Amino acid sequence: MSDTITKTLQDYLKIILIEAQFNPSGYVSMGKLAQKMELTAGTVTTMIKRFTKDGWIEYKPRVGCCLSEKGNLEAVKLLYKHRLLEYFLETTLKMDWQEVHREAEHLEHELSDKVLEYLDKFLNYPKEDPHHQPIFRNIEEFKNYYRQSFNTLDTAEKNHTYVVEKIINNEDSEFRKYLIKNNLLPGSTFIVISKSIPGGWIEVKALNNKPVHFSLQSGKKIIIRLKE
Amino acid sequence: MSDTITKTLQDYLKIILIEAQFNPSGYVSMGKLAQKMELTAGTVTTMIKRFTKDGWIEYKPRVGCCLSEKGNLEAVKLLYKHRLLEYFLETTLKMDWQEVHREAEHLEHELSDKVLEYLDKFLNYPKEDPHHQPIFRNIEEFKNYYRQSFNTLDTAEKNHTYVVEKIINNEDSEFRKYLIKNNLLPGSTFIVISKSIPGGWIEVKALNNKPVHFSLQSGKKIIIRLKE
DNA sequence: ATAAATACTTTGAATATTCAAAATTAGGAG
DNA sequence: CTCCTAATTTTGAATATTCAAAGTATTTAT
């Protein structure tokens, strides 16, 4: 059944597409997936292994999974269907925005590519859904959009290398001095040495500098991007 | 899971609703159901017994099944969703009529009552789908329509094929001879060539026979059912 | 570096849906 | 009334999806 796109597979693909964006490695852990899918971790592990065999997903044991090319294609199409449906339900049928997401969630599974095409034409190819979420019509549009979006330091991962992109709330001069001293102004490259979520801190090190700690709270003020 | 309306249950209900109309007893055989569902008779028997336990269906072993009140309610709603979707796809999205049925078949399963309500309002409550099939909004409308439309020869429709089910008032031997001569005894198949309600007549033709006229009055003595 | 906590994987079992093939039954032919 | 045929029902097995609980591995804290 390697080519059958079941409703279940679709749900997995869509969640992985979104969650992978929040992770510099591009991988989604089994725990995270289980939480989002509202299933047990064991179930998710089993299913992911099957989907991997069918070529939808790539899986690294004890690490997580990401979408294959084939999986990406399908996942982006689902997001396209979802957002176009939201647009239709809200602007054409004038449904309450609170119900729109849930309804689109159901309908997207049965909306064929053909109906999608006609619906898009009828709606005159809107660029955004009613909540200003862009409607991506292919992977390139999707990837391009997310390439430009950034994460903050608190989401950085151990052993990965990043570049400082921007500092939020630049008024705080104490905080600024701390950044200058540790060579962490926009443009600087650094690596994550260690991190403790329960402890609420992260330790990073810029080139030719000593390691330095930040609270995850203050890390939210530092916008970063993964270094190639 | 007695209350969960799965896609599978929906498929069974919809087919039973339609097929039951073609049978004067109101029951659908396991064989017929299996054929329409494109499943084996064994599968259908098993499922029908389960659905009976859950209160959707009434089942008589070795005879067949029909819908319970609860099943009828759900089935008519599904037909409502199906036809309204056909209307939408064809008149609003301007899809090709050949694709419309298949697409509605899929979407109807995920169209909630809420969206149905808004869609109906948007379409301004059409009375028929694009192929002149009435859109029933509740069981009464459905039953009423079928009670009047598919019982005796006078209600038969042009170009449709029927089977003679029973002759009322079998004493009239002249009438009986007329039927024998034209091969219109119970079991015979015939097609309606033409019909005039103002003229008060209907013209039908059995296989390998010449066309023959009946007054709508005498047609009331011939009980028929739609073929297939 | 070792113990404790956390995350992940495996295993065994349950439910829903399906089929093929064997067993049963009803209705018609002789 | 008995036998045959066709329809129906039963049985045993398969697939997909899921969970709980037990077993492993990794990470964090001491």
Side-chain angles (χ1 to χ4, degrees):
Chain A
M1 303 292 150
S2 137
D3 280 27
T4 316
I5 302 172
T6 63
K7 184 179 167 314
T8 309
L9 170 59
Q10 293 185 338
D11 287 334
Y12 279 88
L13 294 179
K14 245 187 41 177
I15 287 181
I16 296 167
L17 179 73
I18 298 301
E19 289 305 315
Q21 305 312 316
F22 298 147
N23 230 315
S25 69
Y27 277 77
V28 182
S29 71
M30 296 301 104
K32 189 72 185 172
L33 244 186
Q35 177 209 324
K36 290 287 169 182
M37 296 277 309
E38 300 185 49
L39 298 172
T40 61
T43 300
V44 170
T45 302
T46 310
M47 293 303 285
I48 289 302
K49 281 164 76 173
R50 197 155 68 62
F51 294 146
T52 296
K53 199 180 304 160
D54 293 347
W56 298 102
I57 280 172
E58 283 164 29
Y59 167 63
K60 291 187 184 170
R62 307 255 162 206
V63 175
C65 66
C66 64
L67 298 174
S68 67
E69 258 328 291
K70 178 172 151 189
N72 246 311
L73 224 90
E74 189 57 34
V76 170
K77 194 185 287 173
L78 280 166
L79 193 62
Y80 175 12
K81 289 177 181 177
H82 180 88
R83 292 192 175 161
L84 200 69
L85 276 167
E86 287 197 337
Y87 184 93
F88 168 73
L89 294 173
E90 194 159 337
T91 66
T92 305
L93 296 195
K94 314 238 183 290
M95 284 187 75
D96 205 358
W97 64 269
Q98 295 163 80
E99 322 181 278
V100 154
H101 176 76
R102 183 166 24 96
E103 297 290 355
E105 200 72 31
H106 288 127
L107 285 166
E108 65 186 13
H109 296 298
E110 295 297 340
L111 191 78
S112 73
D113 293 359
K114 199 84 186 176
V115 175
L116 174 69
E117 188 187 317
Y118 279 89
L119 185 63
D120 208 356
K121 187 195 291 175
F122 170 73
L123 297 173
N124 205 23
Y125 310 104
K127 284 197 289 294
E128 299 183 337
D129 78 7
H131 308 294
H132 305 296
Q133 303 242 255
I135 295 175
F136 305 114
R137 288 177 175 75
N138 53 59
I139 314 175
E140 288 68 42
E141 289 182 13
F142 177 84
K143 285 192 175 163
N144 200 43
Y145 179 84
Y146 277 98
R147 186 165 325 127
Q148 295 168 7
S149 71
F150 307 103
N151 290 308
T152 46
L153 180 60
D154 55 303
T155 67
E157 285 194 347
K158 188 172 169 180
N159 296 330
H160 283 75
T161 303
Y162 299 85
V163 175
V164 177
E165 202 63 41
K166 189 169 186 284
I167 308 301
I168 297 175
N169 183 20
N170 233 330
E171 270 91 316
D172 182 346
S173 64
E174 283 307 310
F175 186 60
R176 196 174 164 71
K177 274 186 206 156
Y178 190 67
L179 294 175
I180 292 170
K181 191 172 72 182
N182 292 291
N183 189 24
L184 286 166
L185 287 183
S188 300
T189 295
F190 66 89
I191 185 166
V192 178
I193 304 291
S194 59
K195 176 180 179 181
S196 167
I197 292 177
W201 54 262
I202 185 167
E203 183 184 19
V204 307
K205 177 188 174 305
L207 280 180
N208 308 319
N209 278 66
K210 294 224 166 89
V212 56
H213 283 75
F214 284 90
S215 75
L216 294 182
Q217 187 104 57
S218 55
K220 285 189 194 298
K221 294 191 285 189
I222 304 175
I223 295 178
I224 59 174
R225 83 177 138 77
L226 247 194
K227 181 148 189 187
E228 299 309 311
Chain B
M1 306 282 151
S2 136
D3 280 27
T4 318
I5 301 174
T6 64
K7 186 179 167 313
T8 309
L9 170 60
Q10 293 184 339
D11 286 334
Y12 278 88
L13 293 179
K14 242 187 46 176
I15 287 181
I16 296 167
L17 179 73
I18 298 300
E19 289 304 315
Q21 306 310 317
F22 298 149
N23 228 314
S25 72
Y27 276 77
V28 183
S29 72
M30 295 301 103
K32 190 70 186 177
L33 243 187
Q35 178 209 323
K36 289 288 168 183
M37 295 279 307
E38 301 185 49
L39 298 172
T40 62
T43 301
V44 170
T45 302
T46 310
M47 293 304 285
I48 289 303
K49 280 163 75 173
R50 197 155 67 61
F51 294 147
T52 295
K53 200 180 302 161
D54 293 346
W56 299 102
I57 280 172
E58 283 164 29
Y59 168 62
K60 290 187 185 172
R62 306 260 160 201
V63 175
C65 66
C66 64
L67 299 175
S68 67
E69 258 329 290
K70 176 172 152 189
N72 246 312
L73 223 91
E74 189 58 33
V76 170
K77 194 185 285 173
L78 281 165
L79 193 63
Y80 175 14
K81 289 178 181 177
H82 180 88
R83 292 192 174 161
L84 200 69
L85 277 166
E86 287 199 337
Y87 184 92
F88 169 72
L89 294 173
E90 196 159 334
T91 66
T92 305
L93 295 196
K94 314 239 183 289
M95 286 190 74
D96 206 356
W97 63 269
Q98 295 163 80
E99 320 180 281
V100 154
H101 176 76
R102 185 167 23 95
E103 298 290 355
E105 200 73 31
H106 288 126
L107 286 166
E108 64 186 14
H109 296 298
E110 296 296 341
L111 191 79
S112 72
D113 293 359
K114 198 85 187 174
V115 176
L116 174 69
E117 188 186 317
Y118 278 88
L119 186 62
D120 208 356
K121 187 195 288 173
F122 171 72
L123 297 172
N124 204 24
Y125 310 104
K127 284 196 289 294
E128 299 184 338
D129 78 6
H131 308 295
H132 305 296
Q133 302 240 257
I135 295 174
F136 305 114
R137 289 176 174 76
N138 54 59
I139 316 176
E140 287 68 42
E141 288 182 15
F142 177 84
K143 285 192 174 163
N144 202 40
Y145 180 84
Y146 276 97
R147 185 162 31 238
Q148 294 171 4
S149 303
F150 296 103
N151 268 317
T152 49
L153 180 61
D154 57 311
T155 66
E157 287 184 14
K158 189 173 170 181
N159 293 333
H160 283 72
T161 301
Y162 299 84
V163 175
V164 177
E165 198 62 37
K166 189 166 187 285
I167 307 302
I168 296 175
N169 185 18
N170 232 330
E171 271 90 317
D172 184 347
S173 64
E174 282 308 307
F175 186 61
R176 195 173 163 73
K177 274 187 206 160
Y178 191 67
L179 293 176
I180 293 170
K181 191 172 72 179
N182 291 290
N183 190 23
L184 286 167
L185 288 183
S188 299
T189 296
F190 67 88
I191 186 166
V192 178
I193 304 292
S194 58
K195 177 180 179 180
S196 167
I197 291 178
W201 54 262
I202 185 167
E203 184 184 14
V204 306
K205 179 186 172 306
L207 280 181
N208 307 318
N209 278 68
K210 294 226 167 81
V212 55
H213 283 75
F214 284 89
S215 74
L216 294 183
Q217 187 102 59
S218 56
K220 285 189 193 298
K221 292 190 288 188
I222 304 174
I223 295 177
I224 60 174
R225 78 176 145 82
L226 250 192
K227 181 140 189 192
E228 302 306 328

